[in-house]
Amino acid sequence: MSDAFSFDLARQDVSHALSTVSSVCAQVKLDTLLLHPAPLVTTTPEGRRRVETLASFLDAAYGYRLHDDRLTRYAPSAGARYPTEVVTVARVDGRWRCAIFDFAERIFHEAADDRPGRDVAAFLGLEPDAAFIGAISVLWRTVQRYGMRGHRYCIVDAACVVSNLVELARDAGDDPVCIGPARCAAATRLMDLPASAPVVAGVRLDLARMEPPGDPRPDPGDALARLVVREETPAMSPLLKRVELFHARASLEAAEADYRPPAVSAPVRPPRLWAARRHSMKEGLAAPLPERTETDLIGHLWALVAQPPAPGRVRLSFAYLRFSGTRRLEEAWRYDASGAAAVTILRDADCEEIAERCFEGQGVIRAAASLVLVGPGRDDLSGHGAYLDACHQVGFAIPEFYRIAVALGISSTAIGGYSWNALSDYLLLPDFYPLMAHAFGRPSRPGGKQDTDAWQSHALAPGAAPGSRNPKSSSRRSS
Ligand SMILES: Cc1cc2nc3c(=O)[nH]c(=O)nc-3n(C[C@H](O)[C@H](O)[C@H](O)COP(=O)(O)O)c2cc1C
C-alpha cells in the first residue's frame, strides 16, 4: 500500500474528522443532472413497450416500498440516503435515447439532444436491442452526512442496485454483462454528467430477451408525494471535491474489462420477491440462530466467496463472528476461497464493547446473533483502482447476503458504520480489510432507526412539504 493510498484510506475511517456523521438530512433533487432534460416521449407502440419494460425493471429493482410503516426501497442504502439514480441508454423509435428515470414520478427525463445516447451506445458497442443502465451516485446525498467514507457507501449502494437488476434480468432470460468501472467513468463524461454525480456501476441488458416482471407495482402510498425537497449539491464543497478527486483517481486506475458478477447463492423465486420481503434488523431480539440455520448461512456465504471473480478482479473473503446467548463473542472464523476456516481470535470480548469500540455504538450490533465482515485481504488492496474494484465486489455481495437471509427466514442489515482500525486491532485481523459488515439475526420487531426516521420525518409527516407534488395527481407518465 503506497503512502498516498494509506493516507486516503485513513481519511475514510469513522474516527477521522473528515468522516464524522453530521446531522444534515436533506435530499438532493435529480432533475438538474442532465442538461435541459425533457420528458421522454415515444410515438410508436414498440417504443412504448420498450420504455414500459425498462420502467418495470427499474421499479422492481429499486422502486419505493412501504415496509413496516417506513418508506424504503428495494435496495438498501446507508442511512436511507439513497444516493443512487439511474440513467439509461436505449434505442427508442429508432434513436439512441439517454434518459434518467425518476422513481417517484415513474417518468424518464431525456437529454436535450441525441448526442449523449449516440456516443454512449457507440462507445459501449450496444446492439440495437441492447440497453445500458448506469447507476449514478449523487455523491453529496451521502457525503454531506458521512464525509469521505460516504464514497464507499455510494459505490456499495450502486452495486446493490445493479445486482438487483442483474438478478431480475437473469430471471427474465437474459445474460447481462456489468460494465467495468473505468468504462463507467468514460460513459459519465460522454453524458456530460458532473463529477459530483458520476456513473459508478452499470449493466448491459438485451431487451429483446426480456419480458417485464409481471407482478403489479406495490403502492407506496401518498408518502412519495412529499419526497421532493429543493436542496441542491453545493457548487463548491471542499469535502465533496476531495471525494470527486478520489473517485476520479480510483476510476482511472480501475479495471477496464466488463464482467459477469457471481450467480445467486440462495435463489428466492420469483427474484423480485426477495427485495419486497427483505427485512432489516435494527434492534430487538438478540437470540442465537438455530444451529441448522447457521450452518446453512455459512455454507451459502462461503459458496458466494468461493466463486472465482472475473479475471483480474480482487478476491473477497469473510469473517464470521458469533455471539452467545449472554452476548459474549463466542467464536470468530475467517473463511477464504479455499474454504479453509481459521479461528482468528479468541479474545474474551463482549458484544456491547465491540459495538462501542468498533461500530459507533450502533444498536444493530446488539441485536445481531452473528456478524459477517466482508472484504479483500489487505495485501490485495494495492491502490485506488483495486480499492474501487473491491468496493464493487462487496457491493454485489451485500444483496446476496440479504437474499440468503430471506431464503433462510432471518433478518439482516448491511453495516458500513465501523472503524476499520478499531476492528482490526480489537479483533486481531490485521491482514484483512473488511469493506462492509453484515448483521444476521432473528426477525426483530418492526421499526425504523434514527437515520431512516430522520430522513423520512418530513416525508411521512401529515401535510406536504412546500413545492412538492403528488405523482398520482400530476399523473405524468412515460409514453
Ligand atoms: C452501504 C450501506 C451502509 C449501511 N450502513 C448501515 C449501518 O452502519 N447501520 C445500520 O443500521 N444500517 C446500515 N445500512 C442499512 C440501511 O440503514 C438500511 O438499508 C436503510 O435504512 C433502509 O432501510 P431498510 O433497508 O430497512 O429498508 C447500510 C446500508 C448500506 C447499503
Side-chain angles (χ1 to χ4, degrees):
M1 235 185 234
S2 71
D3 286 352
F5 180 50
S6 302
F7 179 76
D8 276 345
L9 282 192
R11 291 169 150 190
Q12 300 187 18
D13 197 80
V14 293
S15 55
H16 197 281
L18 288 182
S19 278
T20 51
V21 179
S22 107
S23 60
V24 281
C25 269
Q27 284 294 89
V28 180
K29 63 181 180 170
L30 73 96
D31 51 359
T32 52
L33 286 182
L34 289 175
L35 295 174
H36 314 299
L40 187 149
V41 177
T42 67
T43 51
T44 62
E46 175 55 22
R48 272 194 287 280
R49 200 192 68 83
R50 187 156 276 203
V51 169
E52 188 46 45
T53 301
L54 272 173
S56 307
F57 270 99
L58 296 178
D59 230 358
Y62 189 45
Y64 288 93
R65 62 176 193 163
L66 202 53
H67 189 72
D68 292 347
D69 290 330
R70 292 178 301 134
L71 188 61
T72 78
R73 299 183 73 161
Y74 288 145
S77 178
R81 308 295 302 149
Y82 301 110
T84 306
E85 295 295 345
V86 170
V87 65
T88 59
V89 172
R91 207 168 160 79
V92 176
D93 296 349
R95 290 186 288 132
W96 287 107
R97 320 276 282 264
C98 172
I100 285 188
F101 188 58
D102 180 337
F103 286 87
E105 300 224 15
R106 207 169 187 272
I107 185 174
F108 285 93
H109 300 281
E110 185 181 12
D113 66 70
D114 285 355
R115 207 261 317 140
R118 212 176 40 233
D119 285 1
V120 171
F123 171 67
L124 295 177
L126 298 185
E127 300 288 333
D129 285 331
F132 168 67
I133 300 189
I136 297 174
S137 282
V138 185
L139 297 168
W140 184 243
R141 281 190 193 151
T142 300
V143 168
Q144 65 175 319
R145 180 147 173 79
Y146 296 106
M148 294 287 293
R149 66 174 143 132
H151 174 262
R152 172 168 49 103
Y153 297 171
C154 285
I155 305 300
V156 171
D157 270 21
C160 286
V161 172
V162 171
S163 166
N164 283 4
L165 277 165
V166 167
E167 282 316 300
L168 287 162
R170 279 180 179 155
D171 191 61
D174 192 12
D175 182 21
V177 171
C178 289
I179 307 297
R183 281 168 39 97
C184 286
T188 302
R189 292 189 288 277
L190 293 174
M191 288 189 254
D192 299 323
L193 287 165
S196 61
V199 175
V200 301
V203 62
R204 192 180 68 221
L205 305 174
D206 182 351
L207 295 176
R209 292 172 70 175
M210 291 165 42
E211 285 299 317
D215 305 330
R217 180 181 188 236
D219 183 0
D222 268 353
L224 262 188
R226 304 190 207 110
L227 283 179
V228 186
V229 181
R230 291 308 181 203
E231 164 81 24
E232 290 185 44
T233 296
M236 180 62 80
S237 154
L239 194 56
L240 183 61
K241 287 288 154 211
R242 285 185 168 101
V243 173
E244 284 175 22
L245 282 173
F246 179 81
H247 183 71
R249 178 164 184 188
S251 306
L252 271 179
E253 293 177 14
E256 283 253 335
D258 299 342
Y259 62 101
R260 287 183 172 78
V264 193
S265 41
V268 179
R269 294 283 170 238
R272 62 163 293 150
L273 282 185
W274 83 264
R277 288 196 210 133
R278 181 173 70 79
H279 189 80
S280 284
M281 42 181 299
K282 305 292 178 191
E283 51 189 66
L285 285 177
L289 297 175
E291 203 180 317
R292 177 69 220 221
T293 308
E294 186 171 55
T295 308
D296 286 352
L297 173 61
I298 295 175
H300 284 308
L301 294 171
W302 181 74
L304 185 65
V305 298
Q307 296 191 50
R313 296 203 171 245
V314 171
R315 196 178 255 298
L316 302 182
S317 64
F318 71 94
Y320 187 87
L321 280 58
R322 182 205 296 138
F323 297 113
S324 71
T326 56
R327 312 305 294 141
R328 313 282 314 166
L329 179 59
E330 250 181 358
E331 271 178 344
W333 299 82
R334 170 94 181 274
Y335 292 80
D336 63 17
S338 67
V343 181
T344 54
I345 38 157
L346 272 180
R347 185 192 278 272
D348 186 25
D350 176 46
C351 169
E352 189 71 29
E353 212 177 322
I354 293 177
E356 282 307 322
R357 282 204 195 201
C358 309
F359 286 91
E360 304 179 294
Q362 293 201 55
V364 65
I365 306 299
R366 297 190 184 90
S370 48
L371 267 182
V372 169
L373 310 174
V374 59
R378 206 170 189 277
D379 287 348
D380 291 328
L381 282 185
S382 49
H384 293 73
Y387 173 80
L388 184 62
D389 182 33
C391 288
H392 272 260
Q393 312 273 347
V394 168
F396 278 103
I398 290 298
E400 293 288 354
F401 291 180
Y402 277 102
R403 286 176 198 126
I404 292 168
V406 170
L408 296 177
I410 56 179
S411 303
S412 78
T413 292
I415 303 171
Y418 59 84
S419 161
W420 181 80
N421 289 335
L423 259 189
S424 148
D425 288 354
Y426 192 67
L427 297 178
L428 311 179
L429 293 164
D431 60 337
F432 181 40
Y433 203 102
L435 290 170
M436 284 293 284
H438 208 97
F440 293 91
R442 307 268 186 134
S444 59
R445 68 175 169 77
K449 65 186 182 74
Q450 214 182 349
D451 277 356
T452 325
D453 295 347
W455 171 73
Q456 300 201 1
S457 56
H458 102 108
L460 293 174
S468 64
R469 286 164 295 164
N470 185 333
K472 288 183 179 159
S473 58
S474 67
S475 74
R476 279 194 291 146
R477 304 189 78 79
S478 316
S479 55

